[in-house]
Amino acid sequence: MHVLVVPDSFKGSLSAAEVCGLVGEAFVARGATTRLIPVADGGEGTVDAMLLAAGGERRVDTVQGPYGQPLDAARAILPDGTALVELAQAAGLTLVGEDRRAGDTTTYGVGEQIRAAAAEGARRIIVGIGGSATNDGGCGAAAACGVRFLDDEANEFVPVGRTLTDVAVIDLAGLDPAVAAAEIVVMCDVDNPLTGEHGAAAVFGPQKGADPETVAQLDAGLRHLAEVVRRDVHVDVEGLDGAGAAGGMGGGLVAFLGGTLRRGIDVVLDAVRFEEQLAGADAVVTGEGSFDSQSLRGKVVHGIAARAQPAGVPVHVLAGRVDEGVLEAARTVGVASATAITPPGVPIEQAIAEARTNLARAAAALAERLV
Ligand SMILES: O=C(O)[C@H](O)CO
């Protein structure tokens, strides 16, 4: 039996490479052959997963963090010269700890990394977005690339979530020509629109510290930004699938840098030539920390199942937790089984601490069932 092991990280406990190692061992112990492909959806861990899966070189830039503080952020140069920037490196939620203030954070450092990649000559720049601490509609990143935002007294400023409603004019004339010339491909970790009940602020604002009043303020800010973008940039990003990823960064990268939005996992699967890997595989094992309704909104498991199903290769999911009812919905996209590795009733801290042991045990049981 030949098994493709293609997991996301289990956020907060195991990297995608660690998951690959544990699942791979379990199948090899039963006599199967495996191909291990750690993947990511554009969020945290995308640079590392892509370097492991596709190869390439790692670069580090010192840029502004979510509150403007200097920090070191990694990016990658892939074997074909494509640059890969991961938003979570300079604007990720894990960088702010408990100090979560979605209205005050910036993606400026992400723009600095995009600009650095373009200055080095990258003609194609992939920007992985997700896992952000921000809700600035990508204005910080755009400002770092030379886009000017003016208030109604013509003062230039770098908008953050809380000041998006102050944007009166957007001027793209100063956009760095090297950035303008590059093809920008955006890996979105979710397909949410920019605004509204399924939008960036309503769905992801609370995890970035926004209370209901702040969520309403951030949503109004993104609505206002979309309106000015329509008038000054002649692009409508408001209803675009993925525009709401990473606090509106999806929409911002389309509006300000001419980016194209893609499902993050598809970009990784293209880079590793997934369809070629599927030929000759008897099963795919994938996984993520939590298999829930978000998983079927373009996340890793969904993306893998959607591409394995036409090849008739069954997909098995191992996850920290599996929400009730998700497997039923997932079966329609080709998921054959989903197993929660954590025993019922175990508190989250303990589940995280014991993830390695639990995964090894669940993978061994799955291997015993399949091989
Ligand atoms: O960063 C975020 O807001 C979430 O990961 C969705 O993109």
Side-chain angles (χ1 to χ4, degrees):
M1 180 178 207
H2 184 61
V3 182
L4 294 185
V5 183
V6 198
D8 197 354
S9 61
F10 284 30
K11 303 240 157 45
S13 56
L14 297 167
S15 70
E18 288 173 314
V19 178
C20 273
L22 290 165
V23 176
E25 261 172 43
F27 276 87
V28 168
R30 305 273 324 163
T33 57
T34 58
R35 167 89 163 89
L36 309 180
I37 310 173
V39 294
D41 57 13
E44 196 191 333
T46 296
V47 161
D48 286 338
M50 199 78 140
L51 281 172
L52 280 169
E57 262 175 61
R58 193 181 173 85
R59 299 273 158 87
V60 175
D61 310 297
T62 302
V63 296
Q64 286 190 25
Y67 293 120
Q69 75 283 24
L71 53 70
D72 287 343
R75 63 185 155 89
I77 312 288
L78 302 179
D80 68 353
T82 298
L84 171 65
V85 171
E86 172 190 319
L87 172 144
Q89 293 278 332
L93 193 56
T94 54
L95 300 171
V96 300
E98 290 310 305
D99 184 18
R100 299 176 179 201
R101 287 178 278 127
D104 295 327
T105 41
T106 183
T107 54
Y108 195 90
V110 186
E112 290 182 280
Q113 288 200 284
I114 293 172
R115 204 164 184 172
E120 279 172 9
R123 313 303 304 153
R124 184 166 185 261
I125 303 175
I126 298 174
V127 187
I129 67 172
S132 67
T134 50
N135 202 96
D136 72 351
C139 291
C145 292
V147 175
R148 295 170 72 233
F149 296 90
L150 307 176
D151 68 14
D152 58 10
E153 286 173 358
N155 298 310
E156 188 174 343
F157 72 116
V158 179
V160 289
R162 151 177 81 71
T163 58
L164 286 175
T165 41
D166 296 339
V167 176
V169 173
I170 300 170
D171 176 8
L172 260 55
L175 180 62
D176 181 339
V179 175
E183 179 194 356
I184 307 285
V185 178
V186 187
M187 295 173 66
C188 298
D189 70 332
V190 294
D191 62 3
N192 296 66
L194 190 66
T195 60
E197 63 170 320
H198 300 295
V203 179
F204 303 103
Q207 76 192 28
K208 305 174 191 179
D211 58 19
E213 200 182 316
T214 310
V215 164
Q217 185 195 22
L218 295 173
D219 188 55
L222 289 171
R223 267 180 215 286
H224 172 79
L225 181 70
E227 215 173 287
V228 185
V229 163
R230 270 193 291 272
R231 191 199 61 209
D232 288 1
V233 189
H234 314 294
V235 179
D236 191 351
V237 293
E238 204 164 356
L240 211 58
D241 281 356
M249 182 74 161
L253 288 173
V254 171
F256 309 131
L257 305 192
T260 308
L261 303 186
R262 292 202 58 204
R263 187 153 71 174
I265 180 62
D266 278 338
V267 177
V268 182
L269 295 180
D270 286 353
V272 300
R273 299 198 177 88
F274 186 61
E275 275 67 22
E276 283 172 30
Q277 311 285 347
L278 270 176
D282 301 294
V284 173
V285 178
T286 181
E288 62 180 340
S290 175
F291 189 46
D292 53 33
S293 55
Q294 280 299 324
S295 307
L296 301 180
R297 291 207 67 149
K299 291 231 171 210
V300 164
V301 172
H302 185 198
I304 288 170
R307 288 172 69 156
Q309 192 177 37
V313 182
V315 173
H316 300 273
V317 179
L318 296 170
R321 49 173 283 189
V322 174
D323 274 9
E324 228 180 285
V326 183
L327 177 57
E328 231 157 90
R331 279 196 204 285
T332 61
V333 292
V335 173
S337 79
T339 309
I341 65 164
T342 313
V346 170
I348 180 81
E349 298 75 24
Q350 190 182 338
I352 287 175
E354 294 171 357
R356 177 175 290 276
T357 320
N358 290 339
L359 178 60
R361 192 185 45 236
L366 182 65
E368 194 178 334
R369 186 153 66 78
L370 297 183
V371 183

